[in-house]
Amino acid sequence: MADFERSGPSADLQSQLQVARDDAAYAVTVKPRDCSPEALALLSPAQTRIELDRGALREMLARMRVLAPTLASEPSLHSPPTSPQDAEFRYLARRVTMIVSPVCPFSRKKDRISTLAGSRELVTRLRNRVRPTRFEAQFATAEADEWFYRSTRVTECQTPDGPMTPELVRRAAAEVKTAVTRMEAIAGTELGRRP
């Protein structure tokens, strides 16, 4: 990895590498179970006791080398992190994306409560509010991370409408509300500049 970083990556790639480091470091401080094994192993192998196969690391670095040139030709989505709270904002954006667009439905019912429609509206309003700010790129990065993660995993769903469904939906809605409130606080001064 050090050799890859010394090979003179573009500013866009350096920015993405820094965002990845910041996100992995933040996730470990909040909820280690939310981190990928790779991120945990790279951050603190002694604590996590996770060892990556050297072949897997080589494959990841080879893929990064293939992707690196494309970053220079694409318009940059990443604004350089300018606040220590950016990683927290992205973490929360990934969480709310995961909750309001679940892989497995909580319920077959179409009512607003069981479909988390109110929570989705909160997230949509926040996404629209941050659109003209630097947090637009932070939100888009987090959403793209969540969708990429899903594309690389297979999920086995439980039967919807179980006995715990109302409680699960209530907790999910409460987590979204808390996360959106915190994200608004992080982006507060930027949101205040809107006309």
Side-chain angles (χ1 to χ4, degrees), residues 96-102 106 109-128 139 172-173 176-177 180:
V96 298
T97 299
M98 178 189 71
I99 292 169
V100 301
S101 301
F106 289 111
K109 298 174 187 172
K110 300 295 182 200
D111 61 74
R112 290 179 57 79
I113 295 171
S114 63
T115 60
L116 290 170
S119 296
R120 262 193 291 291
E121 288 168 9
L122 275 176
V123 173
T124 299
R125 276 197 302 270
L126 176 64
R127 190 182 302 113
N128 290 337
F139 207 113
V176 168
K177 187 175 181 181
V180 166

Side-chain angles (χ1 to χ4, degrees), residues 27-40:
V28 166
T29 65
V30 178
K31 291 184 179 179
R33 73 180 194 284
D34 290 344
C35 288
S36 69
E38 294 87 356
L40 286 171

Side-chain angles (χ1 to χ4, degrees), residues 6-21:
R6 281 192 296 267
S7 68
S10 68
D12 283 339
L13 180 56
Q14 289 175 6
S15 177
Q16 288 210 16
L17 290 171
Q18 188 58 53
V19 165
R21 277 189 216 96

Side-chain angles (χ1 to χ4, degrees), residues 100-179:
V100 301
S101 301
V103 174
C104 301
F106 289 111
S107 174
R108 289 188 189 104
K109 298 174 187 172
K110 300 295 182 200
D111 61 74
R112 290 179 57 79
I113 295 171
S114 63
T115 60
L116 290 170
S119 296
R120 262 193 291 291
E121 288 168 9
L122 275 176
V123 173
T124 299
R125 276 197 302 270
L126 176 64
R127 190 182 302 113
N128 290 337
R129 286 188 70 205
V130 300
R131 190 159 281 142
T133 72
R134 69 185 182 83
F135 287 98
E136 178 180 14
Q138 305 292 343
F139 207 113
T141 298
E143 285 182 314
D145 287 349
E146 177 59 26
W147 290 110
F148 175 76
Y149 179 80
R150 288 177 184 205
S151 75
T152 63
R153 301 292 185 263
V154 175
T155 304
E156 187 174 318
C157 296
Q158 296 179 352
T159 305
D161 296 310
M164 290 297 294
T165 296
E167 177 60 17
L168 290 173
V169 170
R170 187 194 67 70
R171 278 194 264 160
E175 183 174 350
V176 168
K177 187 175 181 181
T178 300

